[in-house]
């Protein structure tokens, strides 16, 4: 397919990098008034161009307007609203109560300072939300940003490229288009922070490039997110919610349930409930439903087809149909898949759901823990002991009980992975924090009284001064404290002050 995107050349890339860096160094993006205006403009961009954005996403992914609005535009606007409402609160210096020895003449604060000139490399599966989500954090924090949208969702990237300069200040926020070569050129430069959404293979390349300049990173990756189902759970509700999470955007979601762990006793009930759920969602033939999206391109279509044809175990109990010309793969469920099957090697990132039989919850936990930490983990049960056992015994970027995907839409929760599923997090204030450096700042006065308290630190060193300093600085464990010990530091500080004041006099 011929690209409709104009890729930027090396000169244009370097100009964007230099502009971003120079603009930040000038202090242009620091004022809260500027940040607020840019956030308002980004909100207007989304609000005033809903139809154009929906059209682009339909061309890229055959994504229904409802999915685009609910899964991309509303979350983006809500993230902006949250930042606008709390910007001053997030950005103000945070006073810290100093230790006892610093009580006199000392102020301690954490200054919330922008990291600087930043690079945002976005993904194709939710091209608006995954581009603008990190950008909101960069704007709120007072950074500049160069945004590299994914060339895979080319219509969406084109819309972003056209709209961003019309709404945001192009001295501070720029778009660069391209593929691997152009991204490599961007990564050759020194950035103050890099935010990448994508897969682990590319993340390793980005980490290697960032290591040259010791650049901080946020990596939002993925993995095989399991769904563990209690055999006593409400299968009708559980199946409907898993079917939703597995086929929203045709399964091309980083937190889609990748596979199901279920006991042999519960498997038949779950399969029947999934059949009913898919029929309710997309009718008897999902290919004719305008609510069902498509695979993004031929490469990913063939990747999924290869996984389907190479699996050596299991039985297709739902779906299995495909149409290359339409980039269509039906919602597919494969029962009784072996634990070491090809289906279980990499994140599927499509509408294929393997089911693995487990003996009990302990067996399910052991299997999950034998694999890389996933980005999400789903548990379906009304039994609190069952739920807590799973949560206490596993690790994942996030967890959701009795539903799928919805934790991503909660702005007050951090969203991010752990280990191979990512590092760092964002959403809400966490997006601001991702692009912010907390600068530890201590401010002292030059008053002779506070100087007197510092007397014991100066040479010439004596055993007496060391004893006084240790009594003043070393904490007594709470379990050993008595009334005398609790107030001893104040007595010692008074003695130190007397010695210091005598020296000054």
């Amino acid at each position: 397919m011929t690209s409709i995107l104009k890729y930027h050349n090396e000169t244009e890339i370097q100009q964007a990098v230099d502009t971003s860096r120079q603009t930040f160094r000038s202090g242009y993006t620091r004022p809260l008034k500027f940040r607020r205006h840019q956030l308002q403009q980004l909100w207007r961009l989304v609000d005033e161009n809903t139809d154009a954005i929906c059209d682009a996403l339909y061309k890229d992914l055959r994504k229904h307007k409802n999915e685009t609005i609910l899964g991309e535009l509303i979350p983006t606007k809500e993230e902006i609203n949250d930042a606008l409402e709390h910007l001053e609160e997030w950005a103000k210096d945070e006073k810290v109560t100093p230790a006892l020895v610093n009580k006199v003449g000392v102020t301690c604060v954490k200054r919330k300072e922008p990291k600087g000139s930043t690079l945002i490399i976005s993904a194709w599966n939710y091209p608006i939300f995954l581009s603008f989500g990190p950008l909101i954090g960069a704007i709120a924090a007072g950074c500049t940003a160069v945004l590299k949208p994914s060339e895979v969702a080319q219509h969406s990237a084109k819309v972003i490229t056209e709209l961003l300069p019309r709404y945001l200040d192009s001295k501070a926020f720029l778009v660069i288009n391209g593929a691997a070569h152009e991204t490599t050129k961007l990564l050759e430069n020194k950035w103050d922070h890099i935010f990448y959404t994508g897969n682990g293979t590319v993340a390793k390349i980005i980490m290697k490039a960032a290591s040259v300049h010791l650049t901080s990173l946020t990596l939002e990756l993925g993995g095989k997110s399991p769904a563990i189902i209690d055999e006593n759970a409400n299968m009708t509700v559980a199946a409907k919610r898993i079917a939703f999470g597995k086929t929203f955007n045709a399964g091309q979601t980083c937190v889609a349930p990748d596979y199901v762990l279920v006991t042999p006793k519960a498997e038949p009930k779950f399969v029947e409930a999934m059949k009913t759920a898919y029929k309710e969602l997309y009718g008897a033939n999902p290919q004719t439903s305008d609510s069902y999206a498509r695979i993004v391109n031929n490469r990913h279509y063939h990747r999924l087809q290869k996984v389907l044809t190479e699996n050596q175990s299991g039985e297709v109990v739902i779906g299995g149909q495909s149409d290359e010309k339409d980039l269509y793969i039906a919602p597919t469920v494969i029962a009784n898949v072996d634990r070491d099957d090809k289906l279980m090697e990499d994140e599927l990132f499509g509408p294929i759901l393997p089911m693995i039989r487990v003996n009990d919850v302990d067996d399910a936990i052991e299997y999950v823990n034998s694999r890389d930490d996933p980005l999400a983990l789903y548990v379906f049960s009304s039994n609190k002991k069952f739920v807590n056992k799973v949560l206490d015994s596993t690790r994942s970027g996030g967890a959701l009980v009795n539903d799928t995907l919805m934790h991503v839409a909660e702005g007050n929760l951090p969203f991010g992975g752990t280990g191979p599923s990512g590092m760092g997090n964002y959403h809400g204030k966490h997006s601001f924090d991702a692009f912010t450096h907390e600068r530890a700042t201590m401010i002292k006065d030059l008053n002779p009284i506070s100087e007197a308290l510092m007397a014991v630190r100066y040479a010439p060193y004596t055993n007496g001064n060391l004893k006084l300093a240790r009594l003043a600085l070393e904490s007594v464990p709470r379990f050993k404290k008595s009334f005398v010990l609790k107030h001893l530091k104040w007595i010692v500080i008074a003695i130190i002050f007397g010695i210091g004041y005598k020296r000054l006099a």
Side-chain angles (χ1 to χ4, degrees):
M1 183 171 61
T2 305
S3 176
I4 63 169
L5 278 179
K6 177 187 177 294
Y7 288 6
H8 289 84
N9 61 42
E10 292 184 15
T11 300
E12 291 169 325
I13 291 171
Q14 195 57 53
Q15 286 174 345
V17 172
D18 294 342
T19 299
S20 177
R21 186 178 296 127
Q22 290 163 9
T23 299
F24 176 75
R25 287 178 178 172
S26 74
Y28 187 72
T29 58
R30 280 180 174 261
L32 293 184
K33 184 178 179 180
F34 174 84
R35 306 184 203 182
R36 179 171 289 281
H37 178 65
Q38 295 302 298
L39 289 169
Q40 290 168 344
Q41 286 295 99
L42 188 58
W43 191 94
R44 291 187 181 100
L45 184 159
V46 176
D47 188 64
E48 294 171 6
N49 297 279
T50 295
D51 289 343
I53 293 169
C54 288
D55 182 60
L57 279 158
Y58 183 81
K59 290 175 180 175
D60 285 329
L61 289 151
R62 289 274 293 278
K63 191 181 285 195
H64 193 280
K65 185 176 183 177
N66 288 29
E67 283 199 5
T68 296
I69 291 174
L70 295 175
E72 302 222 41
L73 305 193
I74 289 177
T76 298
K77 291 165 80 172
E78 285 305 296
E79 286 280 308
I80 297 170
N81 290 341
D82 192 32
L84 286 169
E85 184 177 346
H86 297 102
L87 184 60
E88 284 73 16
E89 173 193 340
W90 295 348
K92 71 179 180 181
D93 293 347
E94 184 181 334
K95 283 195 174 183
V96 176
T97 303
L100 190 60
V101 72
N102 289 317
K103 284 289 186 185
V104 181
V106 175
T107 301
C108 292
V109 297
K110 291 189 284 186
R111 292 172 57 92
K112 308 297 180 64
E113 302 193 346
K115 285 189 174 180
S117 175
T118 67
L119 173 63
I120 298 169
I121 304 174
S122 184
W124 54 262
N125 54 327
Y126 291 85
I128 303 302
F129 185 54
L130 297 181
S131 295
F132 290 169
L135 183 60
I136 292 163
I139 294 171
C143 297
T144 57
V146 172
L147 172 62
K148 164 62 181 67
S150 173
E151 73 283 3
V152 175
Q154 56 178 329
H155 294 91
S156 300
K158 187 172 185 287
V159 165
I160 290 171
T161 305
E162 292 170 351
L163 292 178
L164 212 67
R166 283 168 42 190
Y167 286 85
L168 299 193
D169 194 314
S170 57
K171 293 193 293 292
F173 309 108
L174 306 99
V175 180
I176 290 294
N177 282 305
H181 173 76
E182 290 75 16
T183 305
T184 300
K185 289 299 174 184
L186 282 167
L187 289 169
E188 287 174 357
N189 291 273
K190 182 183 184 301
W191 299 94
D192 297 309
H193 190 75
I194 298 173
F195 193 112
Y196 168 71
T197 304
N199 62 67
T201 302
V202 176
K204 291 175 183 178
I205 297 170
I206 290 172
M207 283 192 77
K208 187 174 181 180
S211 70
V212 174
H213 303 290
L214 297 179
T215 299
S216 62
L217 288 166
T218 303
L219 300 177
E220 296 294 344
L221 308 178
K224 295 185 77 66
S225 298
I228 300 174
I229 305 176
D230 181 356
E231 64 184 15
N232 297 311
N234 184 324
M235 288 296 167
T236 301
V237 176
K240 187 71 171 281
R241 294 178 180 180
I242 289 173
F244 157 75
K246 189 58 180 176
T247 56
F248 195 81
N249 200 31
Q252 297 163 117
T253 304
C254 59
V255 290
D258 193 89
Y259 62 97
V260 168
L261 297 169
V262 65
T263 63
K265 176 184 174 183
E267 185 181 77
K269 291 187 290 183
F270 179 71
V271 170
E272 288 306 310
M274 285 293 287
K275 288 178 181 178
T276 301
Y278 279 142
K279 190 170 183 179
E280 289 175 354
L281 290 171
Y282 306 113
N285 182 6
Q287 189 170 8
T288 63
S289 170
D290 63 359
S291 297
Y292 188 67
R294 295 297 187 265
I295 306 306
V296 68
N297 59 24
N298 280 288
R299 181 169 68 86
H300 283 279
Y301 174 87
H302 287 294
R303 173 184 63 80
L304 290 166
Q305 279 293 96
K306 185 178 180 183
V307 170
L308 271 176
T309 55
E310 287 186 355
N311 75 298
Q312 301 298 311
S313 65
E315 174 192 0
V316 175
V317 291
I318 300 175
Q321 302 86 2
S322 60
D323 183 345
E324 182 176 355
K325 290 182 179 178
D326 195 26
L327 295 177
Y328 167 79
I329 293 180
T332 299
V333 177
I334 305 175
N336 196 23
V337 173
D338 289 345
R339 300 184 183 199
D340 57 354
D341 195 280
K342 282 276 187 183
L343 284 165
M344 302 309 299
E345 289 182 358
D346 299 311
E347 181 180 7
L348 291 169
F349 221 68
I352 302 166
L353 184 67
M355 295 171 58
I356 293 178
R357 291 175 182 169
V358 291
N359 297 323
D360 50 30
V361 65
D362 293 310
D363 191 20
I365 289 168
E366 184 178 348
Y367 182 72
V368 170
N369 289 338
S370 71
R371 310 179 64 81
D372 288 342
D373 296 338
L375 184 56
L377 182 143
Y378 301 109
V379 188
F380 288 85
S381 177
S382 297
N383 184 326
K384 288 185 178 180
K385 287 184 179 180
F386 184 100
V387 171
N388 287 331
K389 184 168 190 176
V390 173
L391 295 180
D392 290 344
S393 306
T394 57
R395 301 202 316 168
S396 61
L400 178 53
V401 178
N402 293 328
D403 205 353
T404 59
L405 309 189
M406 297 309 296
H407 64 299
V408 180
E410 177 48 65
N412 292 316
L413 285 173
F415 176 71
T418 176
S421 59
M423 63 174 67
N425 50 55
Y426 73 127
H427 290 182
K429 184 178 182 295
H430 304 282
S431 297
F432 174 87
D433 293 341
F435 290 89
T436 297
H437 169 62
E438 287 192 333
R439 190 179 186 184
T441 306
M442 178 183 282
I443 303 166
K444 289 191 171 188
D445 63 30
L446 294 173
N447 193 302
I449 294 176
S450 57
E451 178 63 12
L453 291 170
M454 298 294 105
V456 295
R457 74 181 184 179
Y458 294 127
Y461 302 127
T462 66
N463 286 334
N465 281 356
L466 178 60
K467 288 178 181 177
L468 287 170
R470 291 189 66 178
L471 283 169
L473 295 173
E474 282 188 326
S475 297
V476 179
R478 188 172 295 275
F479 65 88
K480 281 194 168 188
K481 283 185 179 178
S482 64
F483 179 83
V484 174
L485 286 172
K486 186 177 179 181
H487 295 87
L488 183 61
K489 279 194 176 184
W490 286 109
I491 299 167
V492 173
I493 287 171
I495 295 169
I496 292 170
F497 173 73
I499 295 169
Y501 192 75
K502 203 170 182 182
R503 283 189 185 177
L504 286 171

